[in-house]
């Protein structure tokens, strides 16, 4: 047994532990790589909504759709009619007399857009606030006609 190679048990343990650690690292790298490609690298590093909303400008909120809420103040909206065309309406002039803030559940918001200062809507809002454009009021609420149901004189074919 002079030619036999003797490897201490502690060295075998170290080699085994290093192999296990290497395998775990390879598996972790593969999992992270798969998740990055599945989710899309851009979405993982995209800024949150709170970071990109320009608090010094107006925003357009589309399709107000929850346990977290958005509070909207200084709300304007567009109203289109055949007689007067499209008008900018300041919220609060409606028949029900709403007051600020407008409260919308977070899960009901489809998207939010920051509006440019030179856009048509912001220009109209600025003119309205400076008194250059008269206050447009909400169109009057219309009461839907009620239908009277009268019994038919002829029997139903299914009877």
């Amino acid at each position: 047994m002079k030619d036999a190679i003797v490897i201490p048990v502690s060295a075998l343990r170290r080699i085994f532990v290093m192999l296990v650690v290497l395998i775990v690292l390879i598996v972790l790298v593969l999992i992270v790589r798969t998740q990055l490609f599945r989710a899309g690298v851009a979405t993982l590093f995209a800024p949150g909504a709170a970071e990109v909303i320009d608090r010094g400008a107006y925003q357009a909120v589309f399709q107000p759709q929850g346990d977290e809420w958005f509070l909207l103040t200084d709300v304007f909206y567009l109203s289109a009619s055949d007689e007067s065309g499209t008008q900018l309406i300041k919220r609060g002039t409606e028949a029900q007399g709403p007051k600020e803030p407008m409260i919308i559940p977070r899960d009901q918001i489809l998207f939010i857009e920051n509006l440019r200062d030179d856009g048509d809507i912001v220009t109209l809002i600025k003119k309205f606030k400076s008194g250059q454009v008269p206050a447009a009021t909400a169109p009057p609420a219309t009461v839907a006609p009620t239908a009277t149901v009268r019994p038919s004189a002829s029997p139903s074919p299914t009877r």
Side-chain angles (χ1 to χ4, degrees):
M1 289 252 211
K2 270 183 160 181
D3 296 334
I5 298 176
V6 178
I7 300 175
V9 174
S10 63
L12 287 175
R13 282 187 192 148
R14 263 188 268 140
I15 292 172
F16 178 74
V17 168
M18 283 198 264
L19 283 174
V20 169
V21 168
L22 184 63
I23 290 170
V24 168
L25 284 175
I26 290 172
V27 168
L28 283 174
V29 167
L30 290 174
I31 289 172
V32 168
R33 183 174 171 246
T34 303
Q35 292 301 319
L36 282 174
F37 285 113
R38 183 181 300 156
V41 176
T43 59
L44 288 176
F45 301 107
E51 296 171 24
V52 295
I53 292 175
D54 183 356
R55 304 235 184 262
Y58 285 97
Q59 286 81 40
V61 180
F62 291 90
Q63 280 307 107
Q65 299 195 21
D67 47 34
E68 291 188 46
W69 303 83
F70 277 90
L71 300 178
L72 303 181
T73 58
D74 205 14
V75 176
F76 291 84
Y77 62 93
L78 296 175
S79 174
S81 71
D82 293 336
E83 298 84 33
S84 61
T86 301
Q87 290 185 313
L88 182 70
I89 308 293
K90 170 74 170 117
R91 183 178 171 272
T93 61
E94 298 84 356
Q96 74 271 21
K99 62 181 190 175
E100 291 188 351
M102 176 184 263
I103 305 164
I104 302 175
R106 180 180 183 162
D107 66 344
Q108 298 295 309
I109 303 294
L110 183 60
F111 62 94
I112 298 171
E113 287 182 334
N114 290 319
L115 301 179
R116 291 189 334 256
D117 278 344
D118 63 346
D120 293 342
I121 300 299
V122 174
T123 301
L124 277 174
I125 291 171
K126 287 178 179 180
K127 285 182 179 180
F128 169 80
K129 287 187 167 189
S130 69
Q132 295 176 20
V133 174
T137 57
T142 57
V143 178
T146 57
T148 305
V149 179
R150 294 193 177 105
S152 154
S154 60
S156 166
T158 58
R159 289 188 186 169

